[in-house]
Amino acid sequence: MPQTPEKTTTARSARAILLEKPKALALSTIGVRPFGSAPRQSMAAVLHGDEDERPGLNAKETAQLRGIRRFGATGAVLMAVGALGAGAQPVLQNPTAGLRVLSLPGRMPTVSLTMTMTGTVLVVLAWLMMGRFAVGDIRSRSGAPRRMTRSQLDRTLLLWILPLSVAPPMFSRDVYSYLAQSEIAARGLDPYAIGPKAALGVDHVLTRTVPTIWRDTPAPYGPFFLWLGRGISSLTGDNIVAGIFLHRLLALAGVALIVWAIPRLAKRCGVSAVSSLWLGAANPLLLFHLVAGIHNEALMLGLMLAGIEIALRAVEGSGPIRGQALFYLIAGSGLIALSSTVKIPSLLALGFVGMALARRWGGTWKALAGAAILLGVVAAVVTFVISVASGLGMGWINTLDTATAVRSWMSIPTLLGVGTGLAGVLLGLGDHTTAILTITRPIAYLVAILITARMMISVYMGRIHPVGGLGIALGAIVLLFPVVQPWYLLWAILPLAAWATAPIFRIPAVVFTSIVSVMLMSNGAEYLPFMIVQAVIATILTAGTLIVFTRNSLPWRSDKPVAEITKGGPVDEDNSAGAYADSP
């Protein structure tokens, strides 16, 4: 029976719909909305909102802030003292060994562990309380009715950093790998081809301090960092304490760049400098792992953020990009490329700067190609010059996957693989962890690539600021990377602190930071279970006692309900003192 024209049209429409659905799904995956589709709420609208300026604290709040500052400083001092016995002390050349007073914490490991645990808890609690004066109620976008000043935050941050700057390394022993790999380079050997054990010898003082898992491992760091490390080794030789001190100075230089860049990026994004610094630079993860832990992420992130700020001065300027503006663009891009020669993930920032530049030049394919060529040339020149000038060559590219030897519970694909493998063992099906990881990790890579591509396209189309897009992309990469260390979270938190203001970001960031900051052992290794239990009990009792004693002087709770302050609206002086979050 022949079909009627109406049925033929209906069949063609159905086929068209079936063909269009996969196309629309593919386009929406990378952030391109098909023509004629209904608009959806953008990522920028979900995560970002401008923050207006607020008046300073009143007398009562200023007194409470001073108490918070002293409370956190007490915690930092406890950490520094406890680290003399519970820190990541060197196996050899321990400077406190044999000293009557300074060696005392080392002879009382449980007491030292309790001191460091209590100190970390006090710093985290102080940071949370300070958030009331920096952000206000993180459960809403209203912000604090009154906000602490930048100078008040800077003084607080400096006071908390100072004790940790002179303490032994804590939470990680990576600095000893830095020293050993730098010594390999100083001897004229290739740190990308040979590990500390083979290059220096198993009995060498620097090899002895490197964790066993990394003694046969080539360096996974870029040539700029090892070039600096080689200079440190030429000055300090086998002196571990002097080497640690100079590497900490490098980390502090990176932290200084972070403190310089974040408020300027926040201003570009319409976010308060104080709130961005509170979540970024004053974050306990930064204090504990970049300052106390001496990780080279401090230098990588500092150079990356500073480079973004300088490059955006040209990209977001009103005039043509030539002269001084062109200098800013090339200098900022060069700094980003330089940061990638410390650790490669920061190179992603150059892609987002390039997308913003292409949009500035008109948003055409020609503009996109021009931006890619210009920034690609800058990155290639910087990488080539550093690799050749350092004498280390390009071998570092072959060691970028070194860290994947570790199975990290914070990595989503690794957790899925290990968890599934463990379930198989419990069910009597055998251990198939390795096979499952070969499935989950490539899928995670693909998802991270899709999210990054979507954010780049969103920047290119002007839907999201490049700082926000970079933060989201780095967040996806961190969580989906095969190995995730606690300080890797700062890759995403720092740029997002300058852009994202919504509770959907700030609440998980604050909660996760608070939990992770108090979970790791201060010696960068393990303790006997009974020692951990004793230290935890003592820490809870000590912190609880301090909370009771300071319940009237510190803002542990709100005296009045949270006041909803509308953006740009007047501040109710009668209720504003209680307009802070209920939780400490």
Side-chain angles (χ1 to χ4, degrees):
M1 182 177 179
Q3 291 183 334
T4 63
E6 292 80 3
K7 290 184 177 181
T8 302
T9 303
T10 303
R12 288 177 179 174
S13 300
R15 285 196 299 271
I17 292 173
L18 291 175
L19 291 174
E20 285 295 325
K21 280 188 175 181
K23 180 181 177 182
L25 179 61
L27 289 173
S28 63
T29 300
I30 60 173
V32 178
R33 184 166 56 87
F35 178 77
S37 62
R40 296 182 300 175
Q41 191 176 22
S42 67
M43 184 71 72
V46 172
L47 291 175
H48 173 72
D50 288 351
E51 291 183 330
D52 57 339
E53 294 299 326
R54 296 295 170 89
L57 305 179
N58 59 29
K60 177 182 177 182
E61 292 161 346
T62 301
Q64 290 178 331
L65 178 61
R66 292 195 189 99
I68 292 172
R69 186 181 297 152
R70 290 191 293 267
F71 195 83
T74 301
V77 171
L78 281 175
M79 291 177 64
V81 175
L84 295 174
Q89 298 277 44
V91 176
L92 301 174
Q93 296 186 16
N94 188 335
T96 64
L99 300 179
R100 181 172 300 178
V101 177
L102 292 180
S103 65
L104 188 60
R107 299 196 296 270
M108 300 184 297
T110 303
V111 175
S112 299
L113 180 60
T114 300
M115 293 179 69
T116 56
M117 276 190 176
T118 303
T120 57
V121 169
L122 295 188
V123 172
V124 171
L125 290 176
W127 176 69
L128 291 172
M129 285 189 289
M130 187 170 66
R132 298 182 175 183
F133 302 120
V135 176
D137 186 1
I138 63 172
R139 298 171 299 181
S140 71
R141 293 176 182 256
S142 61
R146 286 186 291 271
R147 185 177 286 132
M148 63 191 298
T149 64
R150 169 69 190 278
S151 62
Q152 288 174 326
L153 189 142
D154 287 344
R155 290 195 299 271
T156 303
L157 179 59
L158 181 62
L159 189 62
W160 293 357
I161 283 179
L162 282 176
L164 301 178
S165 299
V166 297
M170 300 177 68
F171 303 107
S172 172
R173 296 181 178 272
D174 281 6
V175 67
Y176 301 118
S177 294
Y178 301 165
L179 292 172
Q181 291 155 0
S182 299
E183 177 62 20
I184 294 173
R187 293 188 178 190
L189 302 175
D190 187 358
Y192 301 123
I194 190 171
K197 181 179 177 181
L200 305 179
V202 67
D203 293 326
H204 192 274
V205 62
L206 296 179
T207 305
R208 295 275 299 273
T209 60
V210 176
T212 304
I213 189 176
W214 305 122
R215 290 184 181 180
D216 294 309
T217 305
Y221 311 114
F224 181 59
F225 178 71
L226 288 185
W227 194 10
L228 295 174
R230 185 172 67 189
I232 291 175
S233 292
S234 66
L235 293 175
T236 61
D238 295 341
N239 191 318
I240 293 178
V241 176
I244 289 173
F245 176 77
L246 292 181
H247 271 282
R248 179 163 275 155
L249 287 182
L250 274 184
L252 290 174
V255 171
L257 287 174
I258 291 171
V259 173
W260 178 86
I262 284 182
R264 288 167 173 79
L265 291 172
K267 184 178 180 180
R268 294 187 178 279
C269 300
V271 177
S272 164
V274 170
S275 63
S276 63
L277 281 172
W278 170 77
L279 186 54
N283 193 299
L285 289 175
L286 186 147
L287 300 177
F288 297 166
H289 297 287
L290 301 194
V291 177
I294 323 180
H295 285 289
N296 57 10
E297 263 80 6
L299 189 60
M300 178 196 80
L301 292 170
L303 290 171
M304 181 191 76
L305 293 173
I308 295 172
E309 161 58 23
I310 294 172
L312 290 181
R313 292 182 180 184
V315 175
E316 296 183 350
S318 57
I321 302 180
R322 60 172 179 261
Q324 186 181 45
L326 183 60
F327 171 77
Y328 282 147
L329 178 61
I330 295 176
S333 302
L335 281 178
I336 295 173
L338 186 63
S339 73
S340 70
T341 59
V342 176
K343 274 193 167 182
I344 195 66
S346 63
L347 189 62
L348 184 64
L350 206 58
F352 284 90
V353 171
M355 286 298 185
L357 178 62
R359 178 172 176 80
R360 164 72 189 277
W361 281 347
T364 62
W365 287 108
K366 182 179 179 181
L368 183 60
I373 292 172
L374 175 61
L375 300 189
V377 168
V378 172
V381 169
V382 170
T383 303
F384 178 78
V385 168
I386 293 297
S387 299
V388 173
S390 65
L392 296 172
M394 300 298 294
W396 62 287
I397 296 177
N398 300 320
T399 63
L400 295 178
D401 62 344
T402 299
T404 58
V406 178
R407 292 179 178 177
S408 171
W409 63 270
M410 293 179 65
S411 166
I412 292 177
T414 302
L415 181 63
L416 289 174
V418 173
T420 306
L422 179 60
V425 172
L426 295 177
L427 294 174
L429 302 177
D431 186 0
H432 302 287
T433 301
T434 302
I436 296 171
L437 287 175
T438 61
I439 299 174
T440 58
R441 286 180 171 178
I443 293 175
Y445 280 132
L446 178 61
V447 174
I449 291 172
L450 289 175
I451 293 174
T452 301
R454 177 165 185 166
M455 290 301 103
M456 284 190 172
I457 293 173
S458 296
V459 172
Y460 181 67
M461 293 184 170
R463 297 177 183 172
I464 193 171
H465 194 277
V467 174
L470 173 64
I472 294 172
L474 285 174
I477 290 172
V478 166
L479 294 178
L480 297 173
F481 196 65
V483 178
V484 180
Q485 301 291 358
W487 52 93
Y488 288 8
L489 299 175
L490 293 170
W491 298 3
I493 289 177
L494 293 184
L496 286 176
W499 176 78
T501 59
I504 195 174
F505 162 69
R506 280 180 171 170
I507 290 176
V510 169
V511 171
F512 208 71
T513 293
S514 303
I515 294 174
V516 173
S517 295
V518 299
M519 285 182 61
L520 296 187
M521 295 295 101
S522 55
N523 66 347
E526 298 177 352
Y527 278 96
L528 295 174
F530 78 90
M531 295 175 62
I532 297 175
V533 171
Q534 290 175 345
V536 168
I537 293 174
T539 297
I540 293 174
L541 292 176
T542 304
T545 302
L546 290 174
I547 291 173
V548 171
F549 278 124
T550 60
R551 66 186 184 279
N552 295 324
S553 58
L554 296 181
W556 292 107
R557 59 185 178 84
S558 300
D559 295 327
K560 298 179 182 180
V562 175
E564 293 294 336
I565 309 297
T566 58
K567 185 178 182 298
V571 178
D572 184 352
E573 296 293 338
D574 293 332
N575 294 327
S576 61
Y580 301 112
D582 289 328
S583 57

